[in-house]
Structures are given as C-alpha cells and as structure tokens.
Amino acid sequence: MRRWSFQAKLVAAFMLVITVVLVAIFWSASLFIRDRMLSEKQQDLTQKGSELAKKIAAYKENPPPNTTLGNLLSDMDLYLDSRIWVLDANRQPLAFSQGGHGGAPRGGMGMGMGRPGMGGGGRNQVAGDSPLPGALRSFAGELDTVYRGNSWSKTIVHPVYEEQMVVVGVPIRLSNGKIDGIVVINSPVVAVNDFLRHIYWFIGLGALAGILLSFLVIQLLTRSLVRPLQSMQSTTGAMAKGDYSARVQVDSNDELGRLGSSINQLAEDLGQFMLESAKTEKLRRDFIANVSHELRTPLTIIRGYSEAIIDGTVDDQAQIDNFLQMVRDEAVRLERLIKSLLELSKLQTADAGYNFVSLDLAEILQHVGQMMLPLAQTKQITLRLELDENAPKIEGDRDRLVQLLLILTDNAVKYTPSGGAVTLSLAQTKTGVLRCSIQDTGVGIPAEDLPYIWERFYKVDKSHRPDDGGAGLGLAIARQIIDLHKATVKVVSELGSGSLIQLDFQTATAI
C-alpha cells in the first residue's frame, strides 16, 4: 500500500476543505439567488396582476366597444410573457390568454373560451368538458384565499402546463367591493433557470480557477512548511548516527523556527555532552592508571625490601635499618595517598556535612603563614603577608579553607627555589569581591599544562617521581574546596617566572 507523504496529506486536506467550502457556498448562493429571483418575480406578477384585475373589473362594468376580454388578455400575455386565466365567481373558466409560450391549457381550451356575451371571441365549449376545473383542485385551498380578497403566489410544477411555474392569484374586485372572479397568472421559470444556469457556469468556472490557484498556493505553502521538517528529519537522523555537527536551517521565528532552534540546541548540548563523556572516560582511565601506578610503586618497594630482610639476603645491620626506613617512608606515602583519595571522595559527596560560618579570611591567612613559615625558612624563601585587616568576612568552612590555602601555599614554597619569595595577599576589589592571592617566584607552569592542573593525578612533571612528595591530588582537592565555597579561581603563570593564583570570594554581606 502506497504511503502518502506529509506534504501530500496536507495538500489533500487543504484541497478537501476548500472544495467543501466552495461547494457549500455555491449551493447556498444558488438557493439564495433562485429564491430571491422567484420572490421578486412573484412580487412583480402580483403587482401586475392587481393592475390587470382592475382593468378586467372596469371591462366588466363598462365594456368598451370592439374589444373583447380575450384581446385584453392577449395584450397582457405579450407584456407579461405569462398565461393568464380569468375565473368567474363560481371558479369556472371565463377566458384565457393565447400567447405563444405555452399555448392553451390541455383539453383544447383556447383563448376567449367562455360565456356568451363576454367577448370570448373563440369557439364555445362547455366548461364541464375542460380538465381545468379538475386541475385547479390541486391548489383549491390557495384559491379560497384569493376569493376571500387576498393575493396569493406560489412556485409549483403546474398541473396543466406540466412545467415549473410561478402562479399568482389576484381577486377581481368591482367598484362596489364585490369579488367577481379572480385572475390567475402562470409564468414559466425557464428564464430564471436559464439565468441561473449561466450564473452556475460562471461560478463554476470561477470556482475551478480558484481551486487550481489554491492548489498552487497550497503547494508552495506546504512546501515551505515541510522543508523545515525535512531538515529536522535529516538533522535528527545525523544525530542518531553520532554526527552532532548537523544543524537545522532556521529561516523563521514561528513555532517551526523555534522547534528547529531547539533541535540545534539539543545537537549542541549532546555534542558537548559526548565530548565531556569522552573526556570523563579518558580521565577515568587515566585515574585508574595513575592510582595503579601510585599504589604499585610503594608496594613494590615495601615488598622488595621486606623480602630481602626476611630472606637474609642483607645481614648488615646498618643496611637492614636503611631498608626498614625506606619501607616506613613508602608506607607513609601510601597512607598519604589513600588519605588524599578518601578526602577527595568526601569532598565530592553532597551530604558531607560542612560547617559554614562567618569567617575572617585575613586571620586564616595569618594562621597559614605561621604554619608554612618554618618550611619557607628551611628553604631560605621569603614569606610575605599583605593583608587588609578591615576586609569584610565571608561565609565558609574554616577547616576546609585552611586546607585549601595550605595546599596552594605549600605548592608555591615547594616549587620556589632558595632565595625566592612567596606572597600571600588579601584585599577587596572595586567590584566588591574579596580577593586572596598566592604569588611565588618559582619555576612556573607551562601554558599547555595550565588547563589540566586541577585534574586528579595530573603532574607537570610526567615522570611521577616519588621524591616530589605528592601524587597529584592536592590541586584536585583544592578545586573541590573552591567549588564548595562558590568561589572563582584564576591562574597566571609563565615558565621560569613564577605563578599567581587569585581566589575571589563573595563577602558575607553580598551573600
């Protein structure tokens, strides 16, 4: 079974609606026009019938010489293009017009057939021999209305002429007010039908032209509607195959345009998500590899030295003591690594239970400076504090902030050679944030490594040497603490020229 396209369905639906509407309008208009024309024809015939009834009444009361009722009716027949009957007060035929349209009524009743002395002018025939009285029984009730002095009109299939006609009955009222018969005008509607037939042809041709024009317009309209849908289908199909660079061409700001924009945004978000997923997967593999490496190294050393002592390979006490010291150092390093992993996992847990209070960051920096001063003096590094004692307070967890500043200051001291300097500063910026800076004159960080220094196990020194005292988790923990306090961080560094880390905190009043 052939399936229609969406555009074909739209075109068919629109054309069906337009066709139904045009047919309904055409049918309603034709009924209205026909009814209107017949109504006007009835009114016109009623008016002219009234005029004729007056003439017949005058004729009856004072017949003019050399003029018969038949002649009078024939003249009016040509004027009205209608068959005119005159019935007496007893509903018997008095006279008929003869015009050329429909001829006399069936039964051979011609013009002027009537009572002697009324000027029929035709051959006499007994009224009972005519089928007319019997035919009049089909609308005898309406004739009763006319004989009571009221006009009557109706459109019927005439029982005598056997065609559709407008029949009008008008009473003949003498000067004394007496009803002395009626005039029945029978006017065929063939002219109306011919006129309507011409109208139907013109309307039909106009409707056909309108349908063809509508078809062309609908084709263009539906094509403009379907084209964006086809573009969306192509884009979503590409997305399903993994191509997130495909985009819908958006040319409008309507519902379809907004839908296309939403699909484009979805493609962009999915592409970004897949990139992040790939990056996360790479980090996961690197994390597992780094953890394995960091755990394997101390365990290998511990196992090797302990086996050498147990097997008796080493019997010199000094060497045994040296081996035991190395086993202890590696065990401490292993413990520190596990502790850092647990600390990082705890920071990533939403319900870790932090104690946020109003804190004086200047006081915390002084405390960190005192803690780091012995190490700095040992390495002959100058440790400076440039603090604004009137700086506003912030909301935070004291222990975590001390941990954060210790990590950053320890790194600054660790990678600053002897004779260098590390500066801890605190000041409020013009924008109202509280800025804490840690600046050193150390070795610096290469530009290509700056985007990755906050990742777990990432080291600028790729050798993973154990003598650096860390496993590459310090800055990852620091980053978690920064995010925990909704602070922002900026790192400026140049290889061989030292590093600057700026932490911006929202003050307690701003929060």
Side-chain angles (χ1 to χ4, degrees):
M1 183 178 180
R2 182 183 178 185
R3 295 183 178 180
W4 285 25
S5 65
F6 181 65
Q7 182 178 2
K9 292 178 181 178
L10 279 179
V11 172
F14 281 130
M15 292 305 300
L16 178 62
V17 170
I18 290 175
T19 302
V20 170
V21 170
L22 286 178
V23 169
I25 294 175
F26 179 77
W27 179 74
S28 302
S30 64
L31 289 181
F32 174 77
I33 294 173
R34 179 180 177 83
D35 182 72
R36 186 69 178 175
M37 292 184 66
L38 292 177
S39 176
E40 290 181 357
K41 187 174 182 66
Q42 290 175 3
Q43 294 176 5
D44 182 63
L45 289 178
T46 300
Q47 180 182 357
K48 291 179 170 54
S50 299
E51 297 174 357
L52 177 59
K54 293 178 180 178
K55 292 182 179 180
I56 294 176
Y59 176 85
K60 285 186 174 184
E61 292 181 336
N62 187 19
N66 301 323
T67 301
T68 64
L69 183 58
N71 294 334
L72 178 63
L73 296 183
S74 296
D75 292 340
M76 292 303 298
D77 180 289
L78 295 175
Y79 173 63
L80 297 177
D81 190 24
S82 305
R83 307 287 74 77
I84 304 172
W85 301 348
V86 178
L87 305 181
D88 61 15
N90 297 319
R91 304 194 183 190
Q92 294 300 314
L94 187 63
F96 299 96
S97 65
Q98 188 184 5
H101 179 80
R106 288 180 306 162
M109 191 173 293
M111 178 197 71
M113 196 287 299
R115 297 176 186 175
M118 287 301 296
R123 61 185 183 89
N124 294 330
Q125 184 173 344
V126 180
D129 296 338
S130 171
L132 184 58
L136 292 177
R137 284 197 294 270
S138 61
F139 43 88
E142 287 82 353
L143 293 182
D144 289 341
T145 301
V146 182
Y147 276 103
R148 286 195 293 269
N150 301 313
S151 299
W152 161 78
S153 62
K154 188 176 183 181
T155 302
I156 60 173
V157 176
H158 207 285
V160 176
Y161 298 103
E162 296 181 343
E163 64 175 300
Q164 194 172 33
M165 285 189 164
V166 175
V167 181
V168 172
V170 179
I172 301 174
R173 194 183 303 272
L174 300 179
S175 58
N176 58 8
K178 178 183 177 181
I179 305 298
D180 191 34
I182 65 173
V183 175
V184 179
I185 301 177
N186 307 278
S187 179
V189 298
V190 61
V192 175
N193 292 335
D194 289 342
F195 179 75
L196 289 176
R197 193 176 299 111
H198 284 85
I199 290 180
Y200 294 159
W201 271 107
F202 284 115
I203 293 178
L205 291 175
L208 179 61
I211 290 175
L212 293 177
L213 181 61
S214 300
F215 178 77
L216 296 178
V217 173
I218 290 172
Q219 281 279 14
L220 296 176
L221 176 62
T222 54
R223 188 175 302 170
S224 65
L225 292 175
V226 171
R227 189 182 297 112
L229 296 178
Q230 292 173 339
S231 178
M232 294 176 196
Q233 179 186 15
S234 175
T235 301
T236 53
M239 291 167 58
K241 295 178 181 178
D243 180 11
Y244 302 104
S245 63
R247 293 292 184 270
V248 178
Q249 183 178 353
V250 178
D251 299 324
S252 63
N253 194 31
D254 55 10
E255 289 82 355
L256 285 177
R258 291 193 291 272
L259 177 59
S261 299
S262 299
I263 293 177
N264 289 340
Q265 185 63 47
L266 176 62
E268 182 178 351
D269 293 343
L270 283 175
Q272 188 65 29
F273 173 77
M274 294 305 295
L275 289 176
E276 293 295 332
S277 298
K279 182 179 179 181
T280 302
E281 178 63 20
K282 181 179 182 300
L283 290 176
R284 185 188 66 82
R285 291 195 299 266
D286 292 345
F287 175 76
I288 295 175
N290 289 328
V291 169
S292 301
H293 181 275
E294 295 294 340
L295 292 176
R296 187 187 308 114
T297 301
L299 288 174
T300 301
I301 294 174
I302 291 173
R303 179 180 178 181
Y305 288 145
S306 61
E307 286 180 351
I309 295 173
I310 293 173
D311 293 343
T313 305
V314 179
D315 54 5
D316 181 63
Q317 187 61 41
Q319 193 172 9
I320 290 174
D321 291 341
N322 184 39
F323 280 12
L324 290 174
Q325 182 62 40
M326 295 184 69
V327 168
R328 180 182 178 278
D329 291 342
E330 291 303 317
V332 171
R333 192 161 77 91
L334 185 59
E335 180 185 9
R336 186 166 60 247
L337 172 62
I338 294 174
K339 182 180 178 181
S340 296
L341 288 172
L342 292 175
E343 186 72 18
L344 184 60
S345 177
K346 183 179 179 181
L347 285 169
Q348 292 175 334
T349 304
D351 56 351
Y354 305 108
N355 183 25
F356 274 69
V357 294
S358 181
L359 298 173
D360 186 352
L361 195 55
E363 184 271 329
I364 294 176
L365 280 169
Q366 287 179 345
H367 176 66
V368 171
Q370 291 174 359
M371 294 176 66
M372 293 300 302
L373 185 58
L375 179 60
Q377 291 174 344
T378 301
K379 292 191 63 176
Q380 298 179 352
I381 295 173
T382 302
L383 183 62
R384 302 190 187 99
L385 294 176
E386 298 177 355
L387 308 178
D388 181 2
E389 299 294 340
N390 298 320
K393 295 183 178 182
I394 65 170
E395 293 286 334
D397 186 302
R398 177 181 174 82
D399 292 339
R400 294 302 178 189
L401 288 174
V402 170
Q403 183 182 11
L404 167 64
L405 295 173
L406 279 175
I407 291 172
L408 298 179
T409 307
D410 180 69
N411 278 350
V413 173
K414 184 187 299 182
Y415 294 104
T416 298
S418 298
V422 174
T423 304
L424 305 180
S425 60
L426 180 68
Q428 189 173 14
T429 67
K430 293 181 179 180
T431 58
V433 300
L434 195 60
R435 175 166 295 169
C436 175
S437 302
I438 298 96
Q439 187 168 13
D440 63 64
T441 58
V443 297
I445 304 171
E448 63 271 15
D449 290 318
L450 279 176
Y452 309 105
I453 61 174
W454 304 104
E455 295 178 4
R456 292 169 293 186
F457 294 106
Y458 189 85
K459 291 184 178 182
V460 176
D461 180 8
K462 307 299 190 300
S463 63
H464 295 274
R465 293 176 299 176
D467 58 354
D468 64 358
L473 292 174
L475 289 181
I477 294 174
R479 183 68 197 210
Q480 291 296 323
I481 298 174
I482 293 171
D483 293 341
L484 174 67
H485 288 80
K486 294 182 173 58
T488 58
V489 61
K490 178 181 179 182
V491 181
V492 180
S493 184
E494 186 176 347
L495 195 60
S497 300
S499 302
L500 170 63
I501 298 179
Q502 292 179 341
L503 299 171
D504 288 344
F505 295 90
Q506 293 292 330
T507 62
T509 56
I511 300 174

